[in-house]
C-alpha cells in the first residue's frame, strides 16, 4: 500500500520528478536544482497541544521535579518566622528588619505554606501524581492477569545460563513439571510450553515470573503520596492553629475564638467546631546547665504545669513539654516558647492605681535579656508609654551597659525608658502590644534626655518624671507561649505515611525477574536441561538465583554434571 504524499517519510514530489529525469516545475527545488522544500508537519491544534501538555504534566520526570520544587519552596518557611506558628517572631522580625520585612510580606514569605505559589506547586504535584498513578495501576492490573512470556529460543544469551544433562530414564515433561511445581512454591507465576525440537525430539519448557509486588509497592507509594496530599489539604481546610501567651499563677485560657492572641483558621472552619475547655498555667519551670563550662546556661528542660477542665468534667493537672504536647478537646497544645513577665503597677500622683498587669517581655538572647512595652492609656494627665529591658541575672559590662549572664532570675533588674504623648490607641487602628511607635512621643528618661532610665528590682518603686506618679516592679513571673492546633486528619496522614514507607521498602528490596527452565529430548533418549534468567531492572542476585534453581531442580530429578565445554 502506498503512503500518502504528505507522509513524513515520503520523498519530496519535486525530488521524485527530478530523479525520474523530469524537470522541477513546482518551484520547490533549491537554487542548484536539488529539492529544498521543508518537510510538512501536521498541525497539532488545540486538542493536540492539550494532549501534549497533559502527557508532560503526568510524566514521572515532571512529578519528581515538582516534588523537588515543593521541597525547595518550603525552605523559606524555615528561614523566616511564620504567622501561623510564631506571630511574635514575625512582629519582632518587622522591628529588626523594617526595610526587608515589607518586601518579604508582599511575596507571602511569612505565610509560605498558604501562599499562592506554594499552593500552585502543591496542586500541580497532586494532579501529576494522579495522572501517573491511574494509568500505571491499569497497566499493572493487566500485567497481573497476563501469562508469563514464551521461552526464548536461545537461553544461552541470557544471564546465569546453565546447562545440565538429566539422569538416565528422565522424561522431559516430568522434569519440567517438577520445575514448575518448585518454582510455584517459590512464589513464581508459571506457564508450560511444548514444541517439537529442530533436531527431532520434544522441547518442553516452563516460563516463570515473580516480583510483581515491586510494582505494587511502587504504586502503593505513589498512591500514599496522593493520600497525604489530600489529607493535608482537607486537614488544612477544616483545622485551625492559634497562639496564646499565658502567665503563670494568674491567667486562664478559655477555648473560644476571642481568647486567642492570634488565630489562623482553615477555609472551612466554623466557630462551632471549638470544643469548650479551660486551661490555666500553674507554674513554668526551666532547668539549665550549671556544670559544663562550654554549655553553661544552656536549657536542659522546660515544663509547663497546667490545670485543665473540659465542659462537664473534673479538673486535671497535666504537663506540657517540648515535643510532648497536651491533647485536650480535639486539639494539641504545644509549648513554643517562654520568657519573663514582670508585674508592673503605675499610680497617679494621688496614689490611685491606674495600671497593673504582668507584661510578657520578648527574649532577645540565650540569657533571656528581654524587651517589653507598657502602655498606660488612661488615668494620667497624658498617655504614657514605656519601653522596658529585663535582665534575669543582671551584670554590668566595662562600658557600663547592662546585660544578663544567666537565663534564670537570680538577680532580676528592670529598666524603663518613659515616653509621653498620644499612643495612637484612640484612632481605631489595631497596634501591637509588643511595639511602641515613638515618632510622635516625647521621651522623658533614657537616651539623650539627660535623665537616667528608671531602674527597678522586685519590690522597688520610683517616681515618674514631671510628677506624673509612680511606677513599681512588684514581682516577676514566667510565661509560656502555647500553640493550640487542631488537625482532624492526623491519623490519616500517619496511615498514608506508613503505607508510603512500606511501599517504598517493597519497591526497593523485592526484585522482579523472569526464569526459564527448558528440557530438550534427543533422539538417543537423553534430556538436556537449560536454565536462564532475565532481570526487570537492577538485580545483582539474578545469577546466583538461577544457579540455586538449577541445583534444587537437579536434586529433585537427578542429573549429570554439565558438559566440559560449559563447565
Amino acid at each position: 500500500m502506498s503512503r500518502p504524499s504528505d507522509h513524513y517519510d515520503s520523498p519530496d514530489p519535486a525530488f521524485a520528478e527530478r530523479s525520474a529525469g523530469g524537470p522541477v516545475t513546482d518551484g520547490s527545488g533549491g537554487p542548484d536544482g536539488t529539492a529544498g522544500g521543508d518537510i510538512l508537519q501536521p498541525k497539532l491544534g488545540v486538542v493536540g497541544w492539550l494532549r501534549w501538555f497533559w502527557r508532560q504534566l503526568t510524566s514521572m520526570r515532571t512529578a519528581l521535579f515538582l516534588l523537588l520544587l515543593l521541597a525547595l519552596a518550603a525552605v523559606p518557611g524555615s528561614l523566616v518566622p511564620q504567622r501561623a506558628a510564631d506571630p511574635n517572631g514575625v512582629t519582632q522580625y518587622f522591628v529588626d528588619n523594617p526595610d526587608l520585612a515589607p518586601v518579604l510580606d508582599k511575596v507571602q514569605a511569612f505565610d509560605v505554606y498558604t501562599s499562592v505559589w506554594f499552593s500552585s506547586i502543591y496542586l500541580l504535584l497532586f494532579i501529576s501524581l494522579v495522572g501517573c498513578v491511574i494509568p500505571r495501576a491499569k497497566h499493572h492490573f493487566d500485567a497481573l492477569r497476563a501469562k508469563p512470556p514464551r521461552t526464548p529460543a536461545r537461553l544461552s544469551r541470557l544471564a546465569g545460563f546453565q546447562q545440565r544433562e538429566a539422569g538416565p530414564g528422565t522424561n522431559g515433561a516430568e522434569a519440567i513439571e517438577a520445575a514448575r511445581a518448585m518454582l510455584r512454591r517459590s512464589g513464581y507465576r508459571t506457564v508450560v510450553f511444548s514444541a517439537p525440537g529442530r533436531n527431532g525430539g520434544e522441547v518442553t519448557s516452563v516460563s516463570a515470573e515473580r516480583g510483581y509486588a515491586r510494582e505494587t509497592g511502587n504504586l502503593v507509594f505513589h498512591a500514599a503520596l496522593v493520600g497525604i496530599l489530600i489529607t493535608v489539604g482537607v486537614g488544612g481546610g477544616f483545622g485551625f492553629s492559634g497562639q496564646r501567651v499565658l502567665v503563670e499563677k494568674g491567667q486562664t485560657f478559655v477555648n473560644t475564638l476571642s481568647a486567642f492572641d492570634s488565630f489562623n483558621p482553615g477555609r472551612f472552619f466554623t466557630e462551632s467546631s471549638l470544643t469548650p475547655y479551660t486551661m490555666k498555667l500553674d507554674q513554668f519551670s526551666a532547668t539549665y546547665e550549671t556544670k559544663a563550662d562550654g554549655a553553661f546556661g544552656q536549657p536542659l528542660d522546660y515544663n509547663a504545669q497546667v490545670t485543665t477542665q473540659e465542659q462537664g468534667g473534673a479538673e486535671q493537672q497535666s504537663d506540657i513539654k517540648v515535643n510532648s504536647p497536651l491533647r485536650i478537646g480535639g486539639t494539641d497544645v504545644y509549648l513554643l516558647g517562654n520568657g519573663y513577665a514582670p508585674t508592673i503597677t503605675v499610680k497617679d500622683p494621688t496614689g490611685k492605681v491606674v495600671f497593673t498587669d504582668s507584661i510578657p517581655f520578648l527574649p532577645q538572647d540565650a540569657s533571656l535579656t528581654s524587651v517589653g512595652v507598657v502602655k498606660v492609656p488612661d488615668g494620667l494627665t497624658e498617655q504614657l508609654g514605656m519601653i522596658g529591658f529585663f535582665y534575669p541575672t543582671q551584670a554590668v559590662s566595662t562600658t557600663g551597659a547592662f546585660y544578663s549572664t544567666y537565663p534564670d532570675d537570680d538577680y532580676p533588674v528592670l529598666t524603663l525608658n518613659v515616653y509621653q504623648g498620644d499612643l495612637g490607641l484612640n484612632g481605631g487602628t489595631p497596634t501591637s502590644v509588643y511595639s511602641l511607635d515613638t515618632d510622635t512621643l516625647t521621651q522623658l528618661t533614657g537616651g539623650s534626655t539627660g535623665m537616667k532610665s528608671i531602674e527597678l528590682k522586685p519590690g522597688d518603686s520610683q517616681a515618674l518624671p514631671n510628677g506624673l506618679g509612680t511606677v513599681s516592679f512588684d514581682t516577676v513571673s514566667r510565661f509560656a507561649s502555647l500553640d493550640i492546633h487542631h488537625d482532624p486528619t492526623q491519623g490519616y496522614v500517619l496511615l498514608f505515611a506508613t503505607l508510603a514507607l512500606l511501599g517504598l521498602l517493597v519497591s526497593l528490596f523485592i526484585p522482579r525477574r523472569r526464569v526459564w527452565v527448558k528440557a530438550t529430548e534427543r533422539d538417543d533418549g537423553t534430556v538436556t536441561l537449560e536454565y536462564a534468567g532475565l532481570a526487570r531492572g537492577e538485580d545483582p542476585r539474578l545469577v546466583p538465583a538461577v544457579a540455586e534453581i538449577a541445583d534444587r531442580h537437579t536434586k529433585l530429578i537427578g542429573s549429570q554434571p554439565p558438559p566440559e565445554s560449559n563447565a
Side-chain angles (χ1 to χ4, degrees):
M1 182 181 293
S2 60
R3 294 174 176 174
S5 60
D6 62 347
H7 190 274
Y8 71 92
D9 276 341
S10 300
D12 185 271
F15 178 75
E17 185 176 357
R18 188 177 66 83
S19 300
V24 178
T25 59
D26 63 352
S28 61
D32 58 351
T34 61
D38 294 334
I39 297 175
L40 297 177
Q41 297 284 359
K43 293 184 178 180
L44 288 178
V46 176
V47 176
W49 279 111
L50 290 176
R51 184 181 294 112
W52 176 87
F53 177 77
W54 175 253
R55 288 177 178 174
Q56 300 302 312
L57 179 61
T58 57
S59 67
M60 186 57 63
R61 178 168 51 186
T62 301
L64 292 175
F65 173 75
L66 289 173
L67 190 61
L68 176 62
L69 192 61
L70 190 71
L72 293 176
V75 170
S78 61
L79 299 179
V80 296
Q82 299 297 295
R83 284 194 175 93
D86 188 11
N88 295 338
V90 175
T91 300
Q92 189 62 41
Y93 195 91
F94 270 84
V95 174
D96 298 338
N97 304 274
D99 297 327
L100 178 60
V103 177
L104 294 178
D105 198 22
K106 288 183 179 179
V107 297
Q108 299 178 294
F110 300 108
D111 303 281
V112 167
Y113 307 111
T114 57
S115 64
V116 173
W117 44 273
F118 189 87
S119 300
S120 300
I121 300 173
Y122 182 93
L123 182 61
L124 286 175
L125 177 60
F126 173 77
I127 296 174
S128 180
L129 286 175
V130 171
C132 288
V133 168
I134 293 178
R136 288 182 63 178
K138 181 181 182 302
H139 176 77
H140 182 55
F141 179 73
D142 293 339
L144 288 174
R145 301 170 61 190
K147 294 180 179 180
R150 295 187 65 88
T151 305
R154 299 181 181 180
L155 293 181
S156 58
R157 296 182 176 181
L158 301 180
F161 174 74
Q162 293 202 16
Q163 184 173 312
R164 308 280 177 91
E165 295 294 333
T170 302
N171 179 273
E174 293 176 352
I176 292 303
E177 181 60 29
R180 185 193 68 82
M182 180 189 70
L183 290 170
R184 284 181 64 87
R185 288 194 297 270
S186 299
Y188 285 87
R189 299 166 54 213
T190 62
V191 62
V192 175
F193 298 99
S194 180
R198 294 183 178 181
N199 300 321
E202 187 77 10
V203 177
T204 311
S205 64
V206 58
S207 177
E209 191 171 25
R210 65 176 291 183
Y212 276 95
R214 181 187 185 96
E215 180 63 13
T216 302
N218 201 345
L219 289 173
V220 168
F221 170 74
H222 287 90
L225 287 183
V226 175
I228 290 175
L229 292 177
I230 293 175
T231 51
V232 168
V234 172
F238 288 94
F240 65 84
S241 178
Q243 292 74 37
R244 175 61 191 262
V245 172
L246 282 181
V247 179
E248 62 181 357
K249 301 175 183 178
Q251 294 183 347
T252 299
F253 167 75
V254 181
N255 190 30
T256 57
L257 197 58
S258 59
F260 288 89
D261 293 331
S262 61
F263 192 78
N264 300 279
R267 185 179 299 273
F268 309 111
F269 167 81
T270 58
E271 189 172 355
S272 60
S273 63
L274 293 176
T275 302
Y277 67 84
T278 62
M279 179 170 52
K280 180 175 65 176
L281 179 61
D282 299 323
Q283 184 179 4
F284 183 89
S285 58
T287 305
Y288 301 101
E289 177 63 57
T290 59
K291 297 180 180 179
D293 293 336
F296 183 79
Q298 293 295 318
L300 300 177
D301 185 38
Y302 294 124
N303 183 46
Q305 300 177 15
V306 297
T307 297
T308 60
Q309 184 177 14
E310 297 189 64
Q311 188 175 31
E315 289 189 349
Q316 294 183 349
Q317 276 69 43
S318 305
D319 292 337
I320 307 175
K321 295 188 176 184
V322 178
N323 298 325
S324 180
L326 168 67
R327 181 73 178 174
I328 181 174
T331 63
D332 293 307
V333 183
Y334 296 88
L335 179 61
L336 288 185
N338 66 92
Y340 289 95
T343 301
I344 299 171
T345 298
V346 177
K347 298 179 180 179
D348 65 11
T350 65
K352 179 183 177 182
V353 175
V354 296
F355 176 89
T356 181
D357 198 4
S358 297
I359 308 296
F361 276 42
L362 299 181
Q364 305 297 304
D365 55 30
S367 297
L368 295 190
T369 300
S370 305
V371 177
V373 171
V374 181
K375 297 180 181 180
V376 185
D378 302 304
L380 301 177
T381 55
E382 286 194 63
Q383 293 183 344
L384 205 67
M386 291 180 279
I387 298 178
F389 298 86
F390 179 75
Y391 308 93
T393 303
Q394 183 252 3
V396 183
S397 67
T398 55
T399 61
F402 289 179
Y403 67 99
S404 179
T405 59
Y406 187 64
D408 215 350
D409 54 343
D410 290 346
Y411 188 70
V413 171
L414 174 67
T415 63
L416 297 169
N417 290 335
V418 182
Y419 295 84
Q420 187 179 31
D422 184 7
L423 300 179
L425 301 177
N426 299 326
T429 302
T431 60
S432 173
V433 297
Y434 299 104
S435 63
L436 179 66
D437 186 4
T438 60
D439 293 340
T440 59
L441 301 179
T442 301
Q443 186 170 358
L444 303 181
T445 64
S448 58
T449 61
M451 295 187 62
K452 289 183 59 177
S453 300
I454 295 176
E455 181 179 331
L456 301 170
K457 297 181 180 63
D460 288 352
S461 178
Q462 189 171 327
L464 292 168
N466 300 338
L468 293 174
T470 59
V471 57
S472 61
F473 176 18
D474 302 332
T475 59
V476 58
S477 302
R478 298 294 295 255
F479 75 82
S481 178
L482 303 175
D483 181 77
I484 302 165
H485 184 77
H486 172 64
D487 184 357
T489 60
Q490 279 183 337
Y492 295 102
V493 171
L494 176 60
L495 172 63
F496 285 120
T498 303
L499 289 176
L501 178 60
L502 294 177
L504 182 62
L505 292 176
V506 169
S507 65
L508 289 177
F509 294 107
I510 293 183
R512 186 177 175 187
R513 60 171 67 127
R514 289 172 178 167
V515 175
W516 292 275
V517 180
K518 181 191 290 187
T520 304
E521 296 183 353
R522 306 297 183 186
D523 292 337
D524 57 3
T526 61
V527 176
T528 301
L529 299 173
E530 296 176 270
Y531 307 86
L534 176 67
R536 301 295 302 275
E538 295 292 330
D539 188 1
R541 289 283 306 163
L542 178 62
V543 173
V546 173
E548 181 184 357
I549 290 172
D551 292 339
R552 290 170 55 197
H553 183 233
T554 53
K555 285 181 181 179
L556 288 174
I557 64 173
S559 68
Q560 304 292 333
E564 187 67 26
S565 60
N566 293 307

